[in-house]
Amino acid sequence: SDLFPDSFEDSEAGQIPKGWEITNLDKTTSKFTTGLNPRKNFILGSGDNFYVTIKSLGDLQVLLDQKCDKVDDEAIKKINSRSDLQSNDILFSGIGTIGKVVYVYDDPKNWNISESVFSLRANNNLISPPFLYQLLKSHKLQSYAFALASGSVQKGIRMGDLKNYEFVKPHFDIQKIFEIISSPMIQKISINLKQNNTLKSIRELLLPKLISGEIRIPDAEKIMEEIDF
């Protein structure tokens, strides 16, 4: 509690806690970009890597399944030369279903994003990744994005408009305490989601075989024992 100011001061947004500041996403991120459009760059449908569009952004996770488009190794290299996606980056859907937010916990190995997905990287000297993640999920920012979305066929928010989003930034010491508390939760959510996906895959593999009699319960139990969660 000693980290919190004991008074307020005036700002262009009204009174804010003393020592805090009004800033925007552009000033507090070290990288703010998108993925790559396949047009003239690569062909969809070949290779074993996943090309993540907004349809593959789920609740808190990237859905790497059969519904996700595929690209080859050369395409992944081209996309990464633009997005340079890394762990602790935050994904934000900018077109169509606006405002889906995913925390990239692990370094992407066999997937990358399309031009419809924004990738934000926190400037670690100014803002912590978990704080940026929660900021992007906040009702105020989501309302801001919806209000500025435009387009006749598909609504979308321009990168420049999202960069200009202003917010009150707490002192960095408070953000670090928040990170210490929230990071294990984000990590646990990520692990649980991966385990759930593994269990779904196992169910889809085993259930038809069990029903048809192709395998029996002891066989299924043996398969489960061999799987590394």
Side-chain angles (χ1 to χ4, degrees):
S1 62
D2 293 340
L3 295 175
F4 285 87
D6 58 3
S7 61
F8 292 85
E9 58 188 10
D10 292 328
S11 73
E12 63 265 30
Q15 286 199 325
I16 63 174
K18 188 175 181 180
W20 294 20
E21 64 173 314
I22 304 294
T23 186
N24 61 35
L25 289 175
D26 189 35
K27 294 177 181 177
T28 52
T29 51
S30 60
K31 193 173 185 66
F32 199 131
T33 187
T34 68
L36 196 62
N37 190 305
R39 186 176 60 252
K40 297 182 180 180
N41 291 301
F42 51 87
I43 299 174
L44 295 177
S46 63
D48 298 319
N49 304 293
F50 295 94
Y51 180 68
V52 173
T53 61
I54 290 172
K55 68 180 180 182
S56 296
L57 295 186
D59 294 330
L60 309 175
Q61 64 176 324
V62 175
L63 302 174
L64 303 178
D65 54 25
Q66 294 182 351
K67 297 179 182 178
C68 190
D69 291 319
K70 294 289 191 69
V71 293
D72 59 25
D73 292 344
E74 189 63 31
I76 282 290
K77 290 179 182 178
K78 287 183 179 180
I79 301 169
N80 198 53
S81 66
R82 177 183 176 90
S83 67
D84 184 31
L85 207 57
Q86 300 176 10
S87 63
N88 294 316
D89 287 350
I90 317 295
L91 305 182
F92 186 93
S93 59
I95 299 175
T97 305
I98 299 169
K100 288 185 175 181
V101 183
V102 175
Y103 193 107
V104 181
Y105 185 74
D106 298 314
D107 281 324
K109 294 180 179 178
N110 65 331
W111 64 273
N112 217 305
I113 56 175
S114 72
E115 81 288 354
S116 62
V117 180
F118 295 127
S119 171
L120 293 82
R121 183 172 303 156
N123 182 330
N124 289 319
N125 295 317
L126 299 174
I127 189 170
S128 76
F131 181 84
L132 176 60
Y133 171 70
Q134 294 295 343
L135 176 67
L136 291 169
K137 288 171 63 70
S138 68
H139 176 73
K140 188 175 180 180
L141 185 144
Q142 294 275 325
S143 298
Y144 170 89
F146 291 140
L148 291 182
S150 60
S152 56
V153 179
Q154 272 194 322
K155 295 286 187 181
I157 182 170
R158 296 181 180 88
M159 183 186 293
D161 289 334
L162 193 58
K163 283 183 175 183
N164 289 333
Y165 176 76
E166 292 188 338
F167 62 97
V168 181
K169 184 172 72 70
H171 193 277
F172 197 63
D173 288 345
I174 297 176
Q175 292 186 54
K176 295 305 291 183
I177 295 298
F178 175 78
E179 182 173 352
I180 291 171
I181 295 171
S182 61
S183 285
M185 299 179 188
I186 295 173
Q187 181 180 6
K188 184 61 176 176
I189 289 171
S190 177
I191 293 171
N192 287 345
L193 289 171
K194 288 179 180 178
Q195 290 181 344
N196 286 342
N197 291 335
T198 301
L199 290 172
K200 287 179 183 178
S201 298
I202 295 170
R203 179 194 63 194
E204 292 170 1
L205 173 67
L206 294 181
L207 189 58
K209 295 179 182 294
L210 287 167
I211 293 174
S212 67
E214 183 178 344
I215 63 173
R216 300 188 179 280
I217 295 296
D219 300 319
E221 291 175 343
K222 184 177 180 181
I223 293 173
M224 289 291 293
E225 290 173 356
E226 294 174 352
I227 293 174
D228 182 14
F229 287 99

